[in-house]
Amino acid sequence: MSAYLRLRAVPAPALRNSPAWLERLFTSAPGTVPHRAGRHREEVLDTRCPDQERIYAGAPPHGPDVVLGGRPVFRTGRHAPPLLVLTAARTRGVAGFLTAADFDALWDTARGTLLPRYGGEGAEPEARRAFAEAHQELRAFYVRTAEHGDAVVKWPSEP
């Protein structure tokens, strides 16, 4: 997974299976495709993105696949990672998973793997806080998106 993951809410009826259309959700000038899609909700996971999936790795069922995964839509002629799409139904499932998830239990399972990468035990309060904030932001994004009945498109990208 790359360093950033951008997630955008898209009304389910507006969703297209076209890589070009999906890319324009993220690369067009403001007011074009996202405006036509009727949503402006977006979430961005920063450079911790590859490690955020470790928070969900121990969570059944298939934690990282549910939260950070999706159906791949491959881009023609590009070496970039595929765009990922979650239907409105899968988005509701992720919202339910994140709402029910116990972050403390998730952290306890992942901390041994994550702490060496983020400064060791002395830096645990700061690292835990950063991952907890990302978890809360993801939960808020997915819950809000599910309430609107929207799908989610994800763009893994380099910083």
Side-chain angles (χ1 to χ4, degrees):
M1 185 175 285
S2 58
Y4 285 80
L5 183 66
R6 294 173 59 194
L7 300 88
R8 185 173 292 267
V10 178
L15 190 61
R16 304 286 180 268
N17 199 32
S18 159
W21 188 89
L22 294 170
E23 284 182 359
R24 281 193 305 270
L25 284 172
F26 297 97
T27 60
S28 297
T32 55
V33 175
H35 177 70
R36 289 195 309 266
R39 298 288 188 263
H40 299 279
R41 290 188 317 277
E42 182 173 284
E43 185 62 44
V44 178
L45 290 179
D46 64 10
T47 54
R48 285 183 304 276
C49 177
D51 290 329
Q52 190 69 28
E53 68 184 31
R54 295 177 193 272
I55 293 292
Y56 305 115
H62 319 294
D65 294 337
V66 171
V67 178
L68 301 178
R71 179 181 53 82
V73 175
F74 295 96
R75 298 185 253 180
T76 319
R78 299 204 183 210
H79 300 296
L83 297 155
L84 303 171
V85 176
L86 287 180
T87 63
R90 295 256 341 251
T91 298
R92 284 190 304 276
V94 174
F97 168 80
L98 290 173
T99 299
D102 176 359
F103 180 79
D104 292 330
L106 296 172
W107 176 256
D108 289 344
T109 301
R111 72 183 287 278
T113 303
L114 293 174
L115 284 180
R117 297 172 53 91
Y118 291 89
E121 289 188 22
E124 182 170 5
E126 182 180 331
R128 184 191 182 288
R129 183 174 41 258
F131 282 98
E133 287 173 4
H135 173 75
Q136 291 169 354
E137 290 167 2
L138 281 168
R139 182 178 55 213
F141 171 80
Y142 276 111
V143 166
R144 196 169 50 249
T145 302
E147 287 171 349
H148 284 90
D150 289 344
V152 172
V153 178
K154 302 172 186 178
W155 171 289
S157 59
E158 295 298 323

